[in-house]
Amino acid sequence: MKICIIGASGHYWSTLKAVQADPDASVIGVAPGAPGEEMENLVNHPHLGRTTLYDCYTAMLEKEKPDIVVVNSHFYLNGKIAANTVRRGIHTYTEKPMATTLDDLNDLRKAAQENPKVLLLAMQELRYGPAVIAAKQAIDSGVVGEIVQATAQKSYKIGNRPAFYRKQETYGGIIPWIGTHAIDWIHWYTGKRFISGYASQTRIGNRDHGEMESAATAVLALEGSIPATINLDFCRPVEAPTHGDDRIRIIGSKGVVEVKDNTATLITDTAGPVDLEIGPERNVFREIMDTVREKKSGLLLSTGESFYVSEVCLKLRTSAETGAIVDLR
Amino acid sequence: MKICIIGASGHYWSTLKAVQADPDASVIGVAPGAPGEEMENLVNHPHLGRTTLYDCYTAMLEKEKPDIVVVNSHFYLNGKIAANTVRRGIHTYTEKPMATTLDDLNDLRKAAQENPKVLLLAMQELRYGPAVIAAKQAIDSGVVGEIVQATAQKSYKIGNRPAFYRKQETYGGIIPWIGTHAIDWIHWYTGKRFISGYASQTRIGNRDHGEMESAATAVLALEGSIPATINLDFCRPVEAPTHGDDRIRIIGSKGVVEVKDNTATLITDTAGPVDLEIGPERNVFREIMDTVREKKSGLLLSTGESFYVSEVCLKLRTSAETGAIVDLR
């Protein structure tokens, strides 16, 4: 199985790990997706194996004819690149958000509709955290009852981000970039669609990152008027013990499940706090390769949800920019 | 110092504790504020001491002429009762929200303006948690830098609440009842006013509590476009180790402070997580009595903030009911 990677500005790690572990797969080519894109981290990555570095990704695709392409360039280009690769009939695993504008997202959707045999997925791979999966299984088992409220947090250290993060046009905003995960968890856990949303964001304390927002919050009403919130920030202090501080809390009519520090904890009416049993690590790209091979894969992502979550995030960003409620129906 | 208590449906405990510890104070009379109000828990409370139970609170006030009256009846009546006691010139410590309708709140404000020498405060006494105070001191010291985002949670077991909780008209709603604390913490910690808000709420899983909401969430934009959220619920499972699960998280440009489980934790750019030193317990009513005695009290509450927080909550409730953003300027 031949894999190509376009760009090195996102989450190519699960791909490298899965390919390295698979004797029948290799990353045969890599190429930048954006002018001047920094490729060093990928090219020098110890898990990469032997590959060819191309200057131009279209030349690479024509030469290598990959089975799957991984797209993770500067965020504003990912939608356009993915539309290109899908139209070439190549299975595409692309960075989230799938696009940073609704126009690009709609064009990508059109490309996908025109090529229904192409597998197209966004990197909502934070579904694959073992504690995240354990919580999902608990919710699906009915142990928390009917869902009443959902909250999710994404918090990161900002560090020193590349220049393209510092311009809204090339970055896309905090809600599409990290809010996608929070929105995706809530959608996936509840199985419900969003009705309306209202978001607020700021650049205070962004540590000289230009237009990049430091924090955002949003309220979402889900089908059945279930209230949800997300809170996002890039203010995790330098000395915090980990890079990120993801949290999810799902309240049900009979119990509450929370994910934090790679642990899923359940409290119910019949038992006090208990840490849920965590399954083995699963690799999303391994399951994507199996899906392409038409093997049973158990893949947790879907094309429809990939589009849906990106669309909700782009609309929520509009809410934060305009101060108006967005209709998400 | 003569204290009377009207009603027994709210937070009279700090009063009993402070009076019991003060040889110069006594609760000389108690009376229901609402027709048929259950007074047993108060009358039989081991901290109450010798008192007189009246049928009618106005008769009690005329007879006993208290220095301070504590109002905590069925919530829909507290605003009207407090307006009555303030107009009698009696210092009044009243349940939050100060009223369950804007009309009642405005009438109470008028009463307070007409009686500027009367001390009127709402029971925003969750400011007095030792960990809450420790976090406030850390924020005020500047150690977290400029505030970037604020989130607060109130979560309780629902148990089996009295009938007046089960009707919106007599209860007032989840946002005024427990949201006041979350809103108050955010306002107090940030020192900023709210610009706009959007809330969502539900009754799913309210365990046969009629019209009582089980959960709510809200986004608030503070002055300077600082984003905030609150999440409220009465879904804490029966087997949870504590009745409530309060949480506050304040993100700054140089650090993050969190309050949870009566602990305040600080992370900054120069030091990993550290539990803040917690001061001794302080009793709000002790400080109210000292204020009335014109002693130095250090009281953490103010009349203006009491009104402000109640007003924000009533407006946010309207947002949850109508699905529209509320202007909070």
Side-chain angles (χ1 to χ4, degrees):
Chain A
M1 177 153 286
K2 295 183 292 179
I3 320 293
C4 283
I5 300 179
I6 299 173
S9 302
H11 297 90
Y12 54 75
W13 309 293
S14 54
T15 297
L16 298 190
K17 209 169 166 188
V19 170
Q20 193 189 36
D22 187 331
D24 296 326
S26 61
V27 177
I28 53 170
V30 302
E37 184 170 8
E38 179 61 70
M39 297 295 288
E40 292 293 304
N41 285 343
L42 170 56
V43 169
N44 297 326
H45 198 288
H47 291 170
L48 176 60
R50 199 169 153 184
T51 195
T52 304
L53 172 63
Y54 287 81
D55 289 337
C56 168
Y57 76 83
T58 54
M60 172 177 74
L61 298 177
E62 277 155 27
K63 175 81 188 302
E64 301 288 359
K65 303 204 183 311
D67 299 295
I68 307 176
V69 65
V70 174
V71 177
N72 70 138
S73 184
H74 294 180
F75 310 154
Y76 74 113
L77 291 172
N78 289 329
K80 293 181 200 294
I81 296 168
N84 183 318
T85 59
V86 168
R87 288 197 166 102
R88 289 168 188 266
I90 308 169
H91 301 304
T92 300
Y93 186 47
T94 188
E95 191 55 84
K96 40 86 237 170
M98 293 180 100
T100 56
T101 68
L102 282 172
D103 280 352
D104 282 354
L105 190 71
N106 289 333
D107 186 56
L108 179 56
R109 187 182 277 119
K110 200 163 156 247
Q113 284 163 348
E114 290 162 1
N115 296 275
K117 290 186 180 166
V118 171
L119 182 65
L120 170 64
L121 296 168
M123 294 182 180
Q124 303 294 165
E125 47 184 80
L126 291 189
R127 288 190 182 187
Y128 275 80
V132 174
I133 292 173
K136 168 70 172 163
Q137 289 167 342
I139 292 163
D140 288 352
S141 78
V143 72
V144 303
E146 198 175 353
I147 290 177
V148 176
Q149 186 192 71
T151 58
Q153 168 177 304
K154 294 291 299 173
S155 173
Y156 286 112
K157 296 182 185 178
I158 198 165
N160 185 11
R161 307 252 162 181
F164 78 89
Y165 275 80
R166 298 161 195 243
K167 285 200 153 183
Q168 183 73 6
E169 196 187 331
T170 51
Y171 170 56
I174 189 172
I175 295 174
W177 178 231
I178 59 174
T180 41
H181 293 301
I183 295 292
D184 186 52
W185 285 327
I186 291 173
H187 175 57
W188 189 46
Y189 278 180
T190 63
K192 294 196 185 291
R193 292 174 72 86
F194 300 99
I195 300 299
S196 64
Y198 178 60
S200 178
Q201 61 189 17
T202 184
R203 289 175 180 141
I204 296 171
N206 76 355
R207 303 179 191 224
D208 297 323
H209 276 70
E211 296 172 8
M212 185 179 171
E213 296 96 7
S214 51
T217 59
V219 158
L220 296 134
L222 291 152
E223 287 171 315
S225 294
I226 296 168
T229 60
I230 61 170
N231 59 288
L232 318 172
D233 73 84
F234 280 103
C235 297
R236 190 150 168 80
V238 173
E239 285 297 318
T242 54
H243 176 57
D245 183 10
D246 293 352
R247 303 181 194 179
I248 316 171
R249 182 167 176 265
I250 303 291
I251 297 176
S253 56
K254 299 192 297 185
V256 173
V257 65
E258 291 196 66
V259 177
K260 182 175 184 291
D261 298 334
N262 301 317
T263 302
T265 308
L266 175 70
I267 312 180
T268 67
D269 287 344
T270 51
V274 59
D275 288 349
L276 297 176
E277 199 176 325
I278 301 294
E281 285 274 353
R282 286 168 60 176
N283 181 297
V284 59
F285 200 75
R286 154 97 253 160
E287 297 186 8
I288 288 172
M289 289 193 294
D290 284 348
T291 303
V292 168
R293 286 164 174 147
E294 298 182 355
K295 282 193 197 169
K296 198 176 167 199
S297 75
L299 189 59
L300 300 177
L301 309 182
S302 77
T303 307
E305 288 173 314
S306 296
F307 275 110
Y308 180 62
V309 168
S310 286
E311 185 182 330
V312 167
C313 288
L314 295 182
K315 289 179 173 172
L316 261 189
R317 179 185 65 189
T318 300
S319 173
E321 288 168 350
T322 61
I325 296 168
V326 284
D327 190 334
L328 299 170
R329 283 169 296 193
Chain B
M1 178 154 286
K2 295 184 291 179
I3 320 294
C4 283
I5 300 179
I6 300 172
S9 302
H11 297 90
Y12 54 75
W13 309 293
S14 54
T15 297
L16 299 190
K17 209 169 164 187
V19 170
Q20 193 189 36
D22 187 331
D24 296 326
S26 61
V27 177
I28 53 169
V30 302
E37 183 170 9
E38 179 60 70
M39 297 295 288
E40 292 293 304
N41 284 343
L42 170 56
V43 168
N44 298 325
H45 198 288
H47 292 170
L48 177 60
R50 199 168 153 185
T51 195
T52 305
L53 172 63
Y54 287 81
D55 288 337
C56 168
Y57 76 83
T58 54
M60 172 177 75
L61 298 177
E62 277 156 27
K63 176 82 188 302
E64 302 288 0
K65 303 204 184 311
D67 300 295
I68 307 176
V69 66
V70 174
V71 178
N72 70 138
S73 185
H74 294 180
F75 310 154
Y76 74 113
L77 290 172
N78 289 328
K80 293 181 200 296
I81 296 168
N84 183 318
T85 59
V86 168
R87 288 199 167 101
R88 289 168 188 267
I90 308 169
H91 301 304
T92 301
Y93 186 47
T94 188
E95 190 55 84
K96 40 85 236 170
M98 294 180 100
T100 56
T101 68
L102 283 172
D103 280 351
D104 283 353
L105 190 70
N106 288 334
D107 185 56
L108 179 56
R109 188 181 278 118
K110 201 164 155 246
Q113 284 163 349
E114 290 161 1
N115 295 275
K117 289 185 181 166
V118 171
L119 182 65
L120 170 64
L121 296 168
M123 294 182 180
Q124 302 294 166
E125 47 184 80
L126 291 189
R127 288 191 183 187
Y128 275 80
V132 174
I133 292 173
K136 168 70 172 166
Q137 289 167 342
I139 292 163
D140 288 352
S141 79
V143 72
V144 304
E146 198 175 353
I147 290 177
V148 176
Q149 186 193 71
T151 58
Q153 168 177 305
K154 294 291 300 174
S155 173
Y156 286 112
K157 295 181 184 178
I158 198 165
N160 185 12
R161 307 252 162 182
F164 78 88
Y165 275 81
R166 298 160 195 243
K167 285 200 153 184
Q168 183 73 7
E169 197 187 330
T170 51
Y171 170 56
I174 189 173
I175 295 174
W177 178 232
I178 60 173
T180 42
H181 293 300
I183 294 292
D184 186 52
W185 285 327
I186 291 172
H187 175 57
W188 189 46
Y189 278 180
T190 63
K192 294 195 185 292
R193 293 174 71 86
F194 300 99
I195 300 300
S196 64
Y198 178 60
S200 178
Q201 61 189 17
T202 183
R203 290 176 180 141
I204 296 171
N206 76 355
R207 303 179 191 224
D208 297 323
H209 276 71
E211 296 173 9
M212 186 180 171
E213 297 96 7
S214 52
T217 59
V219 158
L220 296 134
L222 291 153
E223 287 171 315
S225 294
I226 296 168
T229 60
I230 61 170
N231 59 287
L232 318 172
D233 73 84
F234 280 103
C235 297
R236 189 149 168 81
V238 173
E239 285 297 318
T242 54
H243 177 58
D245 183 11
D246 293 353
R247 302 181 194 179
I248 316 171
R249 182 168 176 264
I250 304 291
I251 297 177
S253 56
K254 299 192 297 184
V256 173
V257 65
E258 292 195 66
V259 177
K260 182 175 184 292
D261 297 333
N262 301 317
T263 303
T265 307
L266 175 70
I267 313 179
T268 67
D269 287 344
T270 51
V274 60
D275 288 349
L276 297 175
E277 199 175 326
I278 300 294
E281 285 274 353
R282 287 168 58 175
N283 182 297
V284 59
F285 199 75
R286 154 98 252 161
E287 297 187 8
I288 288 172
M289 289 193 293
D290 283 348
T291 303
V292 169
R293 286 164 173 148
E294 298 181 355
K295 281 194 198 168
K296 198 177 166 199
S297 75
L299 189 60
L300 300 177
L301 309 182
S302 77
T303 307
E305 288 174 313
S306 295
F307 275 110
Y308 180 62
V309 168
S310 286
E311 184 181 331
V312 167
C313 288
L314 295 182
K315 289 179 174 173
L316 262 189
R317 179 185 66 188
T318 301
S319 173
E321 287 168 350
T322 61
I325 295 168
V326 284
D327 190 334
L328 299 170
R329 282 169 297 193

